[in-house]
Amino acid sequence: MRAGWVAAALLFCAAAGLAQRYFPFARRAEGPRPVFETKTEFHFVRLEYTDLPQYHRRFGFSSRSASGNGWWMMDWPDADEHFTQGIQRLTRIHTGDPHHFSLTDKQLYDHPWIYATQVGWWGLSDAETANLREYLMRGGFLVVDDFWGDEQYETFRRTMERVLPGEPIVDIEETDSVMHVLYDIREKDRTIIPGTRHLRPGPNGAASAQYPPGAVPAWRAMTDGKKRMVVAVNFNTDVGDAWEYADAPEYPEAMTTLAYRYGINYIVYAMTH
């Protein structure tokens, strides 16, 4: 009987995860995983971090049935691998296999660019906070993504006050170099990039978006003491889902294209400034 309850619980967890997806995405066919070089000049690095206890994401599944604990793993590994393939196609950056490291792992310092998702629910320890500050002060670049609403933003803001005391979070201006370092990103491109949970079946098989009430996208940044951008903030938007579902015909192609442009601009900026 105990085994039956365990099996039922696991089935419920899997179903709950799929329920967040518009149904064609939840059951799309997945091709073979790409093969990458292992030692190159650039690797996509995803941060593993501690969740706030009250919002801790317990054991669950992500893309390709990847499993684990914590919000850090949302969209992993497909988002990381698809975007890495895009970097290979669209730039001359010598790109290798994606990694994921704990915020206390010294290997972070070997990489110029790191990515964290669902940061409205992170609860960084003192050690994680100190390591992130050290990483940014050494010239690293952090991209945060897929957090929504005032409560989650306040959690992120308070955390970054601990990481970079006295440094404000400001809107990225259209004239800022990060918006033009490779692709020209204009005011019209400051739009919500939808997660699959926001998409519904539309006419002629196209997907239409339904966003949370009051959701307004924001593209913000933090700088170091020399006014060099070290944190890019994607708020009320879901770049990671656009990367993860780049191979899904139902996902809007224009949004995947925009997500790749933002991500690649961040990488080129991080590696040249």
Side-chain angles (χ1 to χ4, degrees):
M1 183 175 291
R2 178 175 295 177
W5 279 108
V6 171
L10 290 175
L11 180 61
F12 174 80
C13 290
L18 294 179
Q20 298 178 10
R21 307 289 190 187
Y22 157 48
F23 63 89
F25 298 102
R27 62 171 184 258
R28 83 188 195 284
E30 295 174 329
R33 293 185 66 173
V35 177
F36 300 103
E37 294 184 53
T38 57
K39 293 184 178 180
T40 60
E41 67 175 337
F42 179 84
H43 299 264
F44 183 111
V45 174
R46 176 182 290 261
L47 280 187
E48 299 179 36
Y49 57 79
T50 302
D51 293 348
L52 284 170
Q54 65 270 36
Y55 297 120
H56 176 54
R57 184 180 189 268
R58 301 187 183 278
F59 180 85
F61 295 91
S62 188
S63 60
R64 294 187 181 275
S65 299
S67 61
N69 293 279
W71 286 108
W72 70 268
M73 59 178 285
M74 184 62 68
D75 306 326
W76 167 76
D78 267 0
D80 313 31
E81 294 179 351
H82 288 166
F83 184 49
T84 295
Q85 289 179 299
I87 302 167
Q88 289 177 328
R89 290 195 305 270
L90 300 169
T91 76
R92 293 184 177 181
I93 299 171
H94 191 197
T95 305
D97 56 325
H99 300 315
H100 53 93
F101 299 130
S102 164
L103 248 178
T104 56
D105 193 322
K106 298 300 183 182
Q107 293 182 82
L108 284 180
Y109 300 128
D110 297 330
H111 300 274
W113 188 97
I114 57 178
Y115 171 83
T117 188
Q118 305 288 328
V119 294
W121 288 325
W122 67 2
L124 303 190
S125 66
D126 289 343
E128 288 173 311
T129 300
N131 267 29
L132 182 54
R133 182 187 309 114
E134 178 72 11
Y135 172 82
L136 297 175
M137 290 300 96
R138 290 191 187 190
F141 193 95
L142 167 67
V143 178
V144 297
D145 183 42
D146 193 11
F147 63 116
W148 301 74
D150 293 342
E151 181 180 356
Q152 291 189 32
Y153 188 83
E154 184 62 14
T155 295
F156 169 73
R157 187 194 65 79
R158 289 198 306 266
T159 300
M160 295 313 295
E161 276 188 344
R162 295 166 54 209
V163 174
L164 296 174
E167 295 293 340
I169 303 173
V170 299
D171 289 327
I172 298 176
E173 301 293 337
E174 185 181 347
T175 56
D176 285 350
S177 60
V178 73
M179 303 291 272
H180 305 282
V181 68
L182 181 59
Y183 294 104
D184 286 321
I185 298 175
R186 305 295 186 183
E187 193 62 35
K188 65 179 178 61
D189 299 317
R190 296 175 187 265
T191 182
I192 295 179
I193 296 175
T196 53
R197 61 191 178 280
H198 303 130
L199 298 177
R200 302 293 182 272
N204 302 318
S208 62
Q210 295 182 10
Y211 300 116
V216 177
W219 308 89
R220 294 174 178 159
M222 299 184 73
T223 62
D224 59 14
K226 298 180 181 179
K227 300 305 177 185
R228 186 192 80 94
M229 186 186 299
V230 292
V231 182
V233 182
N234 306 332
F235 176 58
N236 279 342
T237 200
D238 193 348
V239 169
D241 254 21
W243 295 339
E244 179 184 4
Y245 289 92
D247 64 343
E250 299 88 355
Y251 191 89
E253 180 273 334
M255 294 293 97
T256 291
T257 298
L258 185 58
Y260 274 60
R261 289 177 175 175
Y262 270 108
I264 289 174
N265 270 20
Y266 292 152
I267 290 170
V268 174
Y269 180 95
M271 297 182 73
T272 57
H273 287 67

